[in-house]
Amino acid sequence: MSDHLRLHGFNNLTSSLSFNIYDICYAKTEEQRRAYIDYIDELYNAERLTQILKDVTNIIGAHVLNVSRQDYEPHGASVTILIAEHELDDPDPEDTEPGPGPLPETVVAHLDKSHVTVHSYPESHPDNGISTFRLDIDVSTCGMISPLKALNYLIHSFDSDIVTMDYRVRGFTRDVDGRKLFIDHDITSIQDYLAEDTKKAYQMVDVNVYQEHIFHTKMLLKDFNLDHYLFDSNHRDLTFEEAHDIESRLRKEMLEIFYSRNLD
């Protein structure tokens, strides 16, 4: 929030940052496809995702209220963490010991609560050998904390071939004169908050609706190294024709995700 803004009461603007993060892979056989899904499912299990979201909570200057997490069968995981701007008296948010619970006035005192969530979606195509792993991440805050502080950490925490991001500020707060403020900081693009190495590594496109405080950025990794996308194999194991065909399939998959439409 800008330093010169003086607010009346609590800042109840809600800032939400949403990610779709994609990892693309070519796995030739059914056995390799199952192995890739199992590998990625284990790499991003609920325990690992919980730690990443706890790191996000720390980065944005918030404190954990409650953690809920689940590994699914056969694949996928979800984690939701309820967070607050101010530190709580209870140092252990995951304490499950029985107790009397909070008084009503305590609950009211923590109405600045926010949340961070993540859901994973591994999938594969039975015919063309393409497997895709998607993570959906939402960081929603109110008060003085901002989800934008977690932007670069989240992008660097995953093997991201494609990233789509949405940032929106909702609601309003008031200054000391009673005038409504529908946004409390300057922003022209999500790209304003990206690290320089990220800007250099990705092709990016913006779709912004400034008057509605809605910002959308798509990112596509610039460098294409075929070996990076081959699971349990190497381009030296392929003929030139095979390598060319696989690269064409991978690039088509990535472009379709990036542009959100089929390119037939």
Side-chain angles (χ1 to χ4, degrees):
M1 185 180 70
S2 303
D3 293 335
H4 66 276
L5 290 179
R6 297 179 59 212
L7 302 182
H8 171 74
F10 175 69
N11 182 349
N12 54 14
L13 283 168
T14 298
S15 300
S16 298
L17 182 64
S18 299
F19 291 82
N20 298 125
I21 296 176
Y22 297 89
D23 178 74
I24 312 300
C25 174
Y26 178 81
K28 183 176 182 180
T29 68
E30 178 62 29
E31 182 180 2
Q32 287 177 329
R33 287 192 286 274
R34 287 197 302 267
Y36 168 76
I37 295 297
D38 289 341
Y39 162 76
I40 208 77
D41 207 39
E42 177 60 28
L43 182 63
Y44 298 118
N45 59 29
E47 182 177 359
R48 167 98 191 279
L49 294 174
T50 298
Q51 186 55 55
I52 290 173
L53 293 193
K54 285 184 175 180
D55 291 342
V56 167
T57 301
N58 183 60
I59 288 169
I60 66 177
H63 303 277
V64 174
L65 291 174
N66 178 266
V67 178
S68 176
R69 66 188 186 189
Q70 179 68 50
D71 285 304
Y72 298 110
E73 292 293 341
H75 303 293
S78 293
V79 181
T80 299
I81 299 183
L82 190 65
I83 62 177
E85 179 180 345
H86 302 293
E87 191 165 11
L88 304 179
D89 295 332
D90 180 5
D92 185 5
E94 294 183 298
D95 186 6
T96 58
E97 291 295 320
L103 297 173
E105 57 267 27
T106 307
V107 176
V108 173
H110 294 142
L111 284 180
D112 62 336
K113 61 183 180 293
S114 308
H115 67 268
V116 289
T117 66
V118 60
H119 307 281
S120 67
Y121 303 90
E123 65 92 33
S124 63
H125 193 288
D127 298 326
N128 68 0
I130 302 294
S131 296
T132 304
F133 175 69
R134 184 179 105 229
L135 276 170
D136 290 352
I137 303 173
D138 292 283
V139 185
S140 185
T141 70
C142 57
M144 301 295 290
I145 54 179
S146 171
L148 291 169
K149 291 182 179 179
L151 188 59
N152 291 291
Y153 172 79
L154 284 170
I155 291 173
H156 285 75
S157 293
F158 303 101
D159 192 7
S160 308
D161 296 315
I162 303 152
V163 182
T164 62
M165 299 175 290
D166 295 283
Y167 177 66
R168 182 174 184 181
V169 181
R170 303 192 306 273
F172 66 89
T173 190
R174 294 181 186 272
D175 63 19
V176 292
D177 297 321
R179 181 178 174 81
K180 295 182 183 69
L181 301 172
F182 295 95
I183 193 167
D184 60 359
H185 59 285
D186 295 327
I187 177 172
T188 58
S189 169
I190 297 174
Q191 296 187 41
D192 297 343
Y193 295 85
L194 292 174
E196 287 303 317
D197 64 333
T198 301
K199 293 180 181 180
K200 292 177 181 178
Y202 288 88
Q203 170 189 339
M204 290 185 281
V205 173
D206 275 1
V207 181
N208 301 321
V209 186
Y210 297 106
Q211 68 271 23
E212 300 296 334
H213 312 304
I214 299 173
F215 304 88
H216 177 75
T217 297
K218 299 180 179 183
M219 301 169 50
L220 176 66
L221 199 63
K222 291 179 181 177
D223 291 338
F224 186 95
N225 182 341
L226 183 58
D227 282 337
H228 173 78
Y229 299 96
L230 298 178
F231 184 77
D232 200 26
S233 62
N234 187 285
H235 78 278
R236 287 186 288 271
D237 302 326
L238 305 170
T239 66
F240 174 81
E241 290 77 12
E242 287 175 326
H244 177 73
D245 177 61
I246 292 169
E247 180 174 338
S248 297
R249 296 187 201 181
L250 288 164
R251 288 185 180 275
K252 181 174 183 288
E253 180 82 0
M254 295 169 70
L255 288 173
E256 287 182 341
I257 294 172
F258 183 70
Y259 289 113
S260 301
R261 64 176 182 268
N262 293 307
L263 303 177
D264 294 328

